[in-house]
């Protein structure tokens, strides 16, 4: 019922809806409406109220409502089934729990993550209502060794989606999206596979949307769309990312062609042409980033002139 009320208010964002109208439409008492409003406020939603006019979600409120995504999304299977959670440890972990029974393209979406994660057990800060915290369950019929390209396809989709809204993001191979040189988005791809066959892939995408204050350790390295002057609603970003993703992902899964996505990763690369470090278990090795290959590897040249394709891993500038 709480969700229904929220949906109701969201439909008339910026204008008051009377308590009487809500109680009639939803078939509950005025006292119940009041109780649910209080619960929503306790959860952190800003709901304005006036004794004469009723309740209102302010125009700038960014409320995530799955049905609004479903009704506007123009995809065949990506995001057609949405699992929405107000708060969860990690959407990737939840997606893994439901993956074996979930339909291909199922989207797990949360308003808040209490234990968002990055690669190698690093933490991903995911404050309530301030970003897109989502994971897709994918079941592609491709060989496991071809799965790493899906991270690049996701990065290309985020960059293209942001372009729709006038934000010129850069892609830091393999899994970061930067805005004005700071990290805006991270991608975490996890896979369960047999030797020859993928059971499922969980593709996690985190995008900072309206965060203005990051924890101390991120202050100098992270940014959000709002901090860079882009006032966007999470719903619109999610829709754009999923649409861009489905097109490039389907092309790759059906025909093996990832050229559009890899082209975008090249065009928007924050590394190509720069001096970088390739980080491995043996240390940090200086190199120059030359290109991203057709298979999605980073092509680097070391100081001794040798050229290598870095398949996956960690690089820094
Ligand atoms: C990543 O790892 O960048 C992958 C992040 C994936 C997050 C999504 S959110 C939905 C889904 N569910 C999850 O639990 N995860 C995925 P990595 O390359 O290892 O980068 C992690 C590093 O980024 C941290 O060590 C911090 O330095 C930095 N960081 C943490 N939170 C950040 C944030 N909100 N914005 C920018 N940088 C952040």
């Amino acid at each position: 019922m709480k969700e229904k009320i929220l949906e109701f208010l969201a439909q008339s964002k910026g204008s008051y809806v009377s308590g009487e109208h809500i109680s009639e439409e939803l078939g509950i008492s005025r006292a119940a409406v009041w109780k649910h409003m209080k619960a929503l406020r306790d959860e952190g939603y800003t709901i304005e109220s006036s004794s004469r006019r009723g309740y209102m979600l302010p125009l700038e409120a960014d409320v995530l409502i799955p049905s609004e995504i479903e009704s506007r999304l123009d995809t065949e299977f990506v995001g057609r089934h949405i699992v929405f959670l107000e708060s969860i440890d990690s959407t990737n972990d939840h997606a893994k729990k439901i993956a074996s029974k979930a339909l291909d393209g199922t989207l797990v979406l949360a308003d808040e993550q209490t234990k968002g994660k990055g690669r190698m057990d690093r933490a991903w800060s995911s404050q309530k209502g301030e970003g897109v915290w989502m994971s897709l369950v994918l079941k592609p019929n491709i060989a496991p060794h071809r799965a790493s390209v899906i991270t690049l396809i996701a990065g290309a989709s985020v960059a293209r989606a942001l372009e729709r809204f006038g934000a010129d993001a850069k892609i830091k191979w393999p899994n970061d999206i930067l805005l004005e040189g700071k990290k805006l988005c991270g991608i975490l791809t996890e896979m369960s596979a047999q030797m020859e066959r993928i059971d499922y892939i969980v593709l996690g995408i985190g995008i900072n949307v309206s965060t203005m204050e990051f924890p101390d350790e991120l202050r100098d390295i992270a940014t959000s769309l709002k901090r860079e002057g882009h006032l966007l609603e999470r719903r619109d970003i999610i829709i754009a990312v999923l649409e861009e993703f489905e097109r490039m992902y389907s092309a790759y899964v059906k025909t093996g062609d990832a050229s559009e996505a890899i082209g975008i990763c090249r065009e928007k690369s924050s590394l190509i042409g720069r001096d970088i470090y390739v980080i491995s278990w043996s240390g940090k090795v200086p190199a120059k980033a030359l290109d991203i290959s057709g298979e999605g590897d980073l092509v680097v040249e070391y100081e001794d002139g040798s050229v290598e394709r870095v398949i996956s891993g960690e690089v820094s500038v």
Side-chain angles (χ1 to χ4, degrees), residues 2-119:
K2 224 171 47 193
E3 287 72 27
K4 283 223 176 86
I5 292 183
L6 200 55
E7 216 172 311
F8 216 77
L9 292 177
Q11 278 163 9
S12 6
K13 226 161 63 171
S15 12
Y16 278 98
V17 187
S18 76
E20 193 181 345
H21 183 57
I22 299 174
S23 86
E24 275 168 13
E25 285 291 321
L26 300 178
I28 55 173
S29 69
R30 295 282 297 273
V33 172
W34 184 87
K35 217 179 73 203
H36 289 302
M37 290 297 174
K38 181 169 182 316
L40 286 167
R41 283 197 179 118
D42 289 346
E43 275 169 31
Y45 292 104
T46 307
I47 299 171
E48 291 174 13
S49 64
S50 136
S51 51
R52 280 184 305 113
R53 294 190 288 173
Y55 303 94
M56 174 174 81
L57 265 183
L59 212 50
E60 66 279 5
D62 178 7
V63 181
L64 260 190
I65 296 174
S67 62
E68 285 192 348
I69 297 175
E70 280 155 2
S71 64
R72 297 180 196 200
L73 184 67
D74 184 15
T75 57
E76 265 171 38
F77 69 100
V78 169
R80 297 271 40 135
H81 184 68
I82 301 179
V83 178
F84 177 68
L85 305 147
E86 259 165 38
S87 181
I88 190 76
D89 47 1
S90 147
T91 56
N92 262 43
D93 287 346
H94 188 81
K96 284 196 281 185
K97 279 185 203 138
I98 63 165
S100 57
K101 294 204 180 97
L103 293 172
D104 191 13
T106 295
L107 176 70
V108 178
L109 181 62
D111 205 36
E112 169 188 56
Q113 292 187 121
T114 53
K115 233 182 148 207
K117 48 180 206 171
R119 296 179 299 165

Side-chain angles (χ1 to χ4, degrees), residues 89-93 113 115-120 122-126 132-135 175-176 183-188 204-206 208 214 218 221-223 314:
D89 47 1
S90 147
T91 56
N92 262 43
D93 287 346
Q113 292 187 121
K115 233 182 148 207
K117 48 180 206 171
R119 296 179 299 165
M120 292 176 273
R122 290 188 283 239
W124 180 261
S125 163
S126 330
V132 170
W133 324 127
M134 67 178 183
S135 303
N175 73 318
D176 291 355
K183 186 156 169 173
L184 176 78
C185 160
I187 296 165
L188 175 66
I205 301 179
N208 303 319
F214 285 97
L218 297 178
I221 57 168
T223 195
E314 200 80 9

Side-chain angles (χ1 to χ4, degrees), residues 149 152-153 155-157 159-160 163 169-171 173 247-248 252 257-270 272 291-297:
V149 173
L152 304 190
I153 297 175
S157 316
R160 265 284 183 270
E163 216 174 67
K170 294 270 178 282
I171 303 174
W173 182 95
R247 188 185 66 257
M248 293 188 256
Y252 181 59
D257 178 13
S259 56
E260 182 184 352
I262 289 175
I264 295 168
C265 291
R266 271 195 196 114
E267 173 201 323
K268 294 184 173 289
S269 172
S270 71
I272 293 176
D291 196 7
I292 294 169
S293 75
E295 288 74 44
D297 311 328

Side-chain angles (χ1 to χ4, degrees), residues 291-317:
D291 196 7
I292 294 169
S293 75
E295 288 74 44
D297 311 328
L298 184 71
V299 186
V300 301
E301 182 179 359
Y302 292 109
E303 284 178 336
D304 65 2
S306 63
V307 172
E308 190 187 69
R309 287 164 160 225
V310 184
I311 295 170
S312 69
E314 200 80 9
V315 293
S316 70
V317 287

